[in-house]
Amino acid sequence: MRIPKIYLETTIFNFYFADDAPDKRQDTIKLFAEIRQGKYEPYASEDVIRELLATEDIVKKTNMTNLVNDYGVILLPSSNEAESLADVYVNEGVIPLRYRTDGVHIALTAVFNLDFIVSFNFQHIVKRKTIEMTELINYRAGYKKVGIYSPTEVIEND
């Protein structure tokens, strides 16, 4: 059986340490445990690293970036193709220009042929409009459907 390739959006690293959101934290920790068990092949990008490094809390910043190494997260490089696809998402009203990086995360998932993106960003990523419109845009651009899920939807329940 093929191991799904998943893109871990920035919020995933943040919620691993979110004491103020215990349910999301628990689901995120379980997702990372399943990654360690080999159920998923994890990816992130240089954009995720830039966002993590912008964190002002030095301890949290260090802990979040350590997750990348500790769990063997493969970093995707910047991509002109993904940048162009993200621009289409913005131009077609899927992602606001101010949050274009959220579109880049989805576009990288499509361009690098990953199976799905995992995020707790319910404002711009894990949202019905975004899911439906990026699927249509990706199809028109020649990419396969990208699944967009929260960790809660991905992890196995006991």
Side-chain angles (χ1 to χ4, degrees), residues 140-157:
R140 284 193 326 234
Y143 300 104
K144 72 176 189 173
K145 177 182 177 180
V146 170
I148 300 176
Y149 305 105
S150 72
T152 309
E153 297 171 296
V154 172
I155 59 173
E156 292 183 17
N157 295 315

Side-chain angles (χ1 to χ4, degrees), residues 8 23 33-34 39 61 73 104 133 150:
L8 303 174
D23 290 342
E34 290 182 5
K39 292 181 182 177
K61 179 189 327 190
V73 178
V104 172
M133 290 186 72
S150 72

Side-chain angles (χ1 to χ4, degrees), residues 80-105:
N80 291 335
E81 193 176 346
E83 296 287 336
S84 296
L85 187 56
D87 288 338
V88 175
Y89 299 157
V90 170
N91 293 336
E92 295 205 18
V94 180
I95 303 288
L97 178 59
R98 182 174 177 208
Y99 299 101
R100 182 179 170 278
T101 302
D102 293 340
V104 172
H105 295 308

Side-chain angles (χ1 to χ4, degrees), residues 70-141:
D70 294 347
Y71 287 87
V73 178
I74 300 163
L75 292 179
L76 301 174
S78 296
S79 160
N80 291 335
E81 193 176 346
E83 296 287 336
S84 296
L85 187 56
D87 288 338
V88 175
Y89 299 157
V90 170
N91 293 336
E92 295 205 18
V94 180
I95 303 288
L97 178 59
R98 182 174 177 208
Y99 299 101
R100 182 179 170 278
T101 302
D102 293 340
V104 172
H105 295 308
I106 299 168
L108 284 166
T109 305
V111 167
F112 283 94
N113 201 32
L114 305 182
D115 296 298
F116 53 91
I117 181 172
V118 184
S119 172
F120 271 125
N121 180 336
F122 296 117
Q123 195 168 22
H124 303 118
I125 297 178
V126 186
K127 180 178 176 179
R128 186 180 61 81
K129 174 186 171 186
T130 303
I131 293 166
E132 291 174 357
M133 290 186 72
T134 57
E135 180 179 351
L136 177 63
I137 291 166
N138 290 352
Y139 176 76
R140 284 193 326 234

Side-chain angles (χ1 to χ4, degrees), residues 4-107:
K5 296 178 179 183
I6 65 172
Y7 183 96
L8 303 174
E9 185 265 339
T10 312
T11 56
I12 300 307
F13 297 93
N14 183 56
F15 277 102
Y16 191 97
F17 302 101
D19 293 328
D20 59 337
D23 290 342
K24 289 179 181 176
R25 181 177 187 208
Q26 180 181 350
D27 288 349
T28 303
I29 290 170
K30 176 131 188 190
L31 174 65
F32 275 96
E34 290 182 5
I35 288 169
R36 186 162 323 276
Q37 294 166 8
K39 292 181 182 177
Y40 303 108
E41 185 174 320
Y43 291 80
S45 67
E46 294 172 357
D47 293 297
V48 168
I49 298 301
R50 260 192 301 283
E51 290 177 323
L52 295 178
L53 292 175
T55 302
E56 292 182 15
D57 180 329
I58 294 170
V59 172
K60 187 171 185 179
K61 179 189 327 190
T62 301
N63 288 339
M64 289 190 301
T65 55
N66 283 343
L67 287 174
V68 173
N69 294 326
D70 294 347
Y71 287 87
V73 178
I74 300 163
L75 292 179
L76 301 174
S78 296
S79 160
N80 291 335
E81 193 176 346
E83 296 287 336
S84 296
L85 187 56
D87 288 338
V88 175
Y89 299 157
V90 170
N91 293 336
E92 295 205 18
V94 180
I95 303 288
L97 178 59
R98 182 174 177 208
Y99 299 101
R100 182 179 170 278
T101 302
D102 293 340
V104 172
H105 295 308
I106 299 168

